[in-house]
Amino acid sequence: MRVVMFGYQTWGHRTLRALLDSEHDVVLVVTHPKSEHAYEKIWSDSVADLAEEHGVPVVIRNRPDDDELFARLKEADPDIIVANNWRTWIPSRIFDLPRHGTLNVHDSLLPKYAGFSPLIWALINGETEVGVTAHLMNDELDAGDIVRQEAVPVGPTDTATDLFHRTVDLIAPVTIGALSQIASGQTEFTRQDRSQASFFHKRSLEDSRIDWTWPAADLERLVRAQSEPYPSAYTFHKGRRLDVLASVVSEGRYGGTPGRIFYREGEGVVIVAGADARTGRNHGLAITRVRTEDGRELPATEYFTAMGGYLTNQP
């Protein structure tokens, strides 16, 4: 099939690589300009560079809503558009243009976690699996019929970085498998159960701020979700920012005011957290490694030389 690719960053790069290695003919690539957004600079392999290396024409747009681009797409005469990590709305006159419509590849198990940063949100929320979905695009965000979907489990110590590498490896089989189904003439696919749909916004630095009223288990997942190279989970100690790089849920139960620097346990320093409404237990978060405002990384037991005082949500 003749394919036009809409994509950006490493997800789009991996999708384009899979298409270039397949039997399909990539006739045009549309990608975004480089961004300075903290999250968009992390996995930033260039879709444009890869396309140009293989002699594929490239169009760069923030939004795909102008007449010039539409004319280029009509001239390319695609059988299908494949989109992955495209960051702005694609209008219907574009996604309905190809003979087979537009296949969107999304890094969640739709209908759950439509929108942005699904791996991070899924880890914070305690999901037991994540994955990749290829679905046909329609007028509603990430809501079209599912052509192919694959999942991987979330382990008890997995970070968002672990899940990124595990799911990015699903891009090629999900994308090329879905295209094979469509090319074979299949037209009936799995409708999404919209009663199970959930939507999440783009992450910002503010979303990494620790709220000590959360239960310790939720905070521990937040720390893992904000693993390097993502912006770290952070708090404030004596008016200065303190990044929390690693932590575990305490073995003991520690009551009191959330944020209190309370007790050394094993290799960590226990901070009082909020009670878990599901279990009634009030475990603390045992911080094991931190990074100071001036960039020093060290064990929490070396940073906290004395117990007492508080970690706070504000400077």
Side-chain angles (χ1 to χ4, degrees):
M1 290 195 293
R2 290 172 61 84
V3 178
V4 167
M5 165 75 193
F6 276 64
Y8 184 53
Q9 296 179 294
T10 298
W11 278 85
H13 188 278
R14 188 66 68 92
T15 304
L16 179 56
R17 171 63 68 187
L19 291 169
L20 292 169
D21 290 342
S22 75
E23 62 185 5
H24 304 290
D25 183 17
V26 183
V27 295
L28 182 68
V29 165
V30 186
T31 189
H32 294 301
K34 291 183 179 179
S35 170
E36 292 303 311
H37 187 282
Y39 281 83
E40 293 187 1
K41 292 167 64 177
I42 296 170
W43 310 108
S44 56
D45 295 303
S46 174
V47 172
D49 289 351
L50 179 60
E52 289 168 355
E53 288 170 11
H54 288 79
V56 180
V58 176
V59 177
I60 296 178
R61 289 289 191 278
N62 274 316
R63 297 184 178 277
D65 52 5
D66 60 276
D67 291 339
E68 180 185 351
L69 174 59
F70 186 68
R72 289 286 300 272
L73 292 170
K74 289 184 68 176
E75 182 182 349
D77 190 30
D79 294 304
I80 195 165
I81 291 172
V82 174
N84 191 341
N85 202 33
W86 184 261
R87 314 300 276 178
T88 56
W89 184 254
I90 298 176
S92 58
R93 72 167 181 165
I94 288 181
F95 68 67
D96 282 337
L97 177 65
R99 298 171 186 82
H100 297 291
T102 294
L103 184 75
N104 185 50
V105 183
H106 183 69
D107 50 333
S108 84
L109 297 174
L110 293 174
K112 295 182 177 179
Y113 296 94
F116 295 90
S117 304
L119 293 178
I120 295 177
W121 287 114
L123 180 52
I124 291 171
N125 292 336
E127 300 292 347
T128 59
E129 61 179 5
V130 294
V132 173
T133 302
H135 70 94
L136 294 173
M137 190 173 285
N138 62 17
D139 283 319
E140 191 175 350
L141 177 65
D142 294 334
D145 290 356
I146 294 171
V147 181
R148 190 178 182 95
Q149 185 176 79
E150 294 191 22
V152 291
V154 178
T157 61
D158 280 338
T159 66
T161 307
D162 295 329
L163 299 181
F164 170 84
H165 289 298
R166 205 171 298 152
T167 53
V168 81
D169 287 340
L170 297 177
I171 289 176
V174 169
T175 303
I176 303 307
L179 289 179
S180 296
Q181 291 175 246
I182 293 168
S184 72
Q186 185 176 344
T187 57
E188 296 295 324
F189 303 105
T190 303
R191 289 202 167 202
Q192 293 191 38
D193 179 357
R194 302 309 295 158
S195 69
Q196 300 299 309
S198 57
F199 303 86
F200 289 84
H201 60 74
K202 185 182 293 187
R203 300 285 294 180
S204 70
L205 293 178
E206 185 66 22
D207 296 312
S208 303
R209 185 193 300 255
I210 291 173
D211 182 345
W212 291 105
T213 64
W214 285 19
D218 294 355
L219 292 177
E220 188 270 342
R221 290 196 302 273
L222 173 64
V223 172
R224 286 191 281 125
Q226 298 297 153
S227 60
E228 296 286 352
Y230 297 102
S232 300
Y234 68 96
T235 185
F236 293 94
H237 183 229
K238 297 181 179 180
R240 294 181 177 274
R241 174 173 167 144
L242 184 69
D243 291 345
V244 178
L245 304 181
S247 66
V248 295
V249 176
S250 68
E251 294 182 5
R253 294 172 60 180
Y254 301 90
T257 304
R260 178 74 172 182
I261 304 164
F262 194 12
Y263 189 77
R264 290 193 178 186
E265 182 184 276
E267 297 181 354
V269 174
V270 175
I271 314 300
V272 176
D276 190 330
R278 293 164 293 186
T279 65
R281 296 175 180 172
N282 195 13
H283 288 277
L285 184 72
I287 297 174
T288 56
R289 193 160 187 84
V290 298
R291 180 171 52 227
T292 62
E293 203 168 62
D294 61 4
R296 292 182 300 128
E297 294 187 15
L298 65 164
T301 51
E302 292 184 18
Y303 175 80
F304 295 104
T305 56
M307 299 300 98
Y310 291 87
L311 298 181
T312 60
N313 298 346
Q314 302 291 335

